[in-house]
Amino acid sequence: MTFEQIELVQKAWGRVSALNNSYVQEVYEELFRLSPELRTLFPPHQELPVAKVSDTLNTIITSLSPAGCTGFHHSRSRQASPAIQRSMRCSNRPYL
């Protein structure tokens, strides 16, 4: 990512993170709407790690730098990655 792209992402995240965890909850909802088969990979609704995901996103986004990439990989994240990306794009629209 370029410095300008990182700056744009971090500014947008600043607006989104002001919403507390509601953004992450919407990402989960959109993810399961777009790919219902992924629901079985996650805990029950009331146990979804919304705050933890929000904190992790905050750490990743605020740590971005043009010199390197963040490398978050998990066996389940690889399978869900395209669907997660789509759900984040769809959920993000009202906040940007």
Side-chain angles (χ1 to χ4, degrees):
M1 293 178 77
T2 68
F3 177 77
E4 291 79 16
Q5 290 170 323
I6 291 169
E7 190 174 58
L8 181 64
V9 167
Q10 289 175 339
K11 284 181 182 179
W13 178 249
R15 287 183 286 217
V16 169
S17 64
L19 303 169
N20 296 323
N21 296 330
S22 62
Y23 171 71
V24 174
Q25 185 62 45
E26 288 181 31
V27 169
Y28 274 122
E29 290 169 9
E30 188 66 14
L31 173 66
F32 300 143
R33 186 187 70 75
L34 292 171
S35 301
E37 70 280 4
L38 295 177
R39 187 67 188 96
T40 59
L41 300 175
F42 293 85
H45 181 73
Q46 65 275 14
E47 296 175 26
L48 286 172
V50 173
K52 186 174 182 177
V53 170
S54 183
D55 290 344
T56 301
L57 282 172
N58 187 62
T59 300
I60 292 169
I61 292 170
T62 58
S63 299
L64 289 173
S65 69
C69 299
T70 56
F72 178 72
H73 295 289
H74 185 275
S75 60
R76 289 184 177 177
S77 69
R78 281 189 217 114
Q79 178 183 357
S81 183
I84 291 171
Q85 291 172 7
R86 284 193 312 273
S87 65
M88 289 182 74
R89 280 193 300 269
C90 293
S91 299
N92 218 8
R93 288 185 188 134
Y95 304 115
L96 301 181

